[in-house]
Amino acid sequence: MRTGLPFLLFSALIAGIFFGELGAMMMPFQIGTLIDGLDYSESRAGFVGTMETMTLGITMLAISLGAVRLPPRTMAIIGAVMATIGQLLTALVDVFPVILLARFVVGFGSAFCQSAAVITIASLKNPDSTTGFVYAYVILLLALLVLLVPWVLPYGYHRALFALFAVLTVLAIPVIKRLPAENLTTHERVGIARPKGFWLIVILFFVGEAFLLIGFGSVWSFIERIGVVVGLSPNAVGIALSMGMLVSMAGSYSAGYLGVNWGRKLPLVLGALISAVACGAVPLSTSFTSYLLLMFLFQFMLSFVLPYVVGTSAVLDRSWRVATAAFAVQIM
């Protein structure tokens, strides 16, 4: 790796991003367990997921606007404690309004964890490469989790799933304590002046990012259900998704090693176009082979493009604010 970061700091960045991505990346299983364990309809289960992800996105947007001015370490620890409480509450109750409240708390806490990591990454010299490498290891952890989850679910469906998430969050607290203790919210990266029409550029960038991620999010949220419709067992879907996440890891590594050797525009635009094709193709799967191959393309391109989205947002402005807002747009 060419990050040049101390191992403990790099590990803390992985932990912060991991818990920010946990809800969205595990959404297929969250929706599935709510449907199977609590007999929720697809729309109700999807609404629960939307509560969590929208809270995560809105909170990160508020942080980007200066609503929270805490050192990354403090922000991450507060977020991890809140997320743990929300995960445990979800595992212990069956009442719909309480579950909605619990997912709100999880989204709020996860936003603190991810924002702490994003603020730190945006303050670094090479945000594109750092994001690529961080995401590669985040995806590796998620791949192992995807492989594990189908074996855990029979022990209690949503109770088992969210209790597992709570345990993982607690175990990560000593790691995220390695994030910077000093306040970086006033940090500004030097040497990059705002171009003419800066705010129009930022708005157009966010609009393009939103359309890109709407496609990804729509397909990913139901990719487990697509596998079931194709005829795969839950365990087979888990294995397929785990394999696909290893492909995602390759996509992130590719972005990390390529960095800005080809600039940012070409990888970002070309990657977005191929991603659009992949998003449209996955729901058309008719067999295990087509499901696997199209999902691999989908996941590789997602993981390749996102580091360039983050890196571009980090250099649009001399502060960390646009990068944090970009994550908020991505999530919402």
Side-chain angles (χ1 to χ4, degrees), residues 74-91:
T74 304
M75 190 183 300
I77 292 173
I78 292 173
V81 171
M82 292 186 65
T84 301
I85 293 172
Q87 301 287 16
L88 284 175
L89 190 59
T90 309

Side-chain angles (χ1 to χ4, degrees), residues 92-112:
L92 294 174
V93 302
D94 295 336
V95 181
F96 181 68
V98 179
I99 288 180
L100 277 182
L101 175 62
R103 301 325 293 170
F104 171 83
V105 173
V106 170
F108 199 80
S110 299
F112 271 49

Side-chain angles (χ1 to χ4, degrees), residues 15-324:
I17 296 295
F18 176 83
F19 288 104
E21 296 289 333
L22 180 63
M25 297 302 289
M26 297 302 294
M27 192 60 65
F29 291 107
Q30 292 189 192
I31 289 176
T33 58
L34 292 174
I35 292 173
D36 296 335
L38 293 175
D39 199 29
Y40 282 2
S41 65
E42 284 85 352
S43 59
R44 172 171 277 201
F47 182 72
V48 172
T50 299
M51 170 63 74
E52 177 182 343
T53 52
M54 288 299 292
T55 301
L56 175 58
I58 291 171
T59 303
M60 290 193 72
L61 183 60
I63 291 172
S64 75
L65 296 173
V68 178
R69 297 177 180 272
L70 295 172
R73 181 183 299 177
T74 304
M75 190 183 300
I77 292 173
I78 292 173
V81 171
M82 292 186 65
T84 301
I85 293 172
Q87 301 287 16
L88 284 175
L89 190 59
T90 309
L92 294 174
V93 302
D94 295 336
V95 181
F96 181 68
V98 179
I99 288 180
L100 277 182
L101 175 62
R103 301 325 293 170
F104 171 83
V105 173
V106 170
F108 199 80
S110 299
F112 271 49
C113 288
Q114 189 160 16
S115 294
V118 172
I119 289 170
T120 305
I121 290 173
S123 70
L124 300 175
K125 183 179 180 180
N126 299 307
D128 312 81
S129 293
T130 301
T131 303
F133 289 126
V134 166
Y135 261 99
Y137 286 98
V138 168
I139 292 166
L140 176 61
L141 293 175
L142 288 169
L144 295 174
L145 187 58
V146 167
L147 193 61
L148 172 66
V149 162
W151 302 98
V152 172
L153 294 184
Y155 294 96
Y157 292 102
H158 76 290
R159 299 188 192 281
L161 181 69
F162 295 110
L164 174 63
F165 290 172
V167 170
L168 292 175
T169 308
V170 170
L171 292 177
I173 292 177
V175 180
I176 60 177
K177 287 175 66 176
R178 298 294 181 171
L179 287 170
E182 67 273 17
N183 198 323
L184 300 180
T185 57
T186 58
H187 175 85
E188 290 195 350
R189 300 178 67 247
V190 298
I192 301 175
R194 287 183 175 181
K196 184 178 180 180
F198 169 76
W199 289 112
L200 178 60
I201 293 172
V202 170
I203 291 171
L204 290 175
F205 177 81
F206 285 163
V207 169
E209 181 191 11
F211 277 108
L212 176 67
L213 271 299
I214 284 172
F216 279 131
S218 299
V219 175
W220 179 251
S221 293
F222 288 93
I223 202 165
E224 183 260 354
R225 294 286 107 174
I226 295 171
V228 170
V229 170
V230 169
L232 304 181
S233 67
N235 285 345
V237 172
I239 293 172
L241 291 177
S242 181
M243 293 170 59
M245 296 183 84
L246 294 178
V247 174
S248 294
M249 184 177 178
S252 292
Y253 255 112
S254 298
Y257 276 107
L258 180 61
V260 292
N261 291 330
W262 292 357
R264 291 188 173 91
K265 184 183 296 184
L266 180 61
L268 185 60
V269 174
L270 185 60
L273 290 174
I274 299 174
S275 300
V277 174
C279 285
V282 171
L284 302 178
S285 303
T286 57
S287 67
F288 174 73
T289 301
S290 62
Y291 176 75
L292 204 63
L293 293 177
L294 292 173
M295 183 181 64
F296 283 176
L297 176 63
F298 168 84
Q299 291 183 279
F300 181 91
M301 293 312 306
L302 171 62
S303 299
F304 179 82
V305 168
L306 286 183
Y308 288 102
V309 172
V310 175
T312 302
S313 63
V315 300
L316 279 175
D317 193 16
R318 290 180 295 176
S319 72
W320 49 269
R321 297 183 187 278
V322 174
T324 309

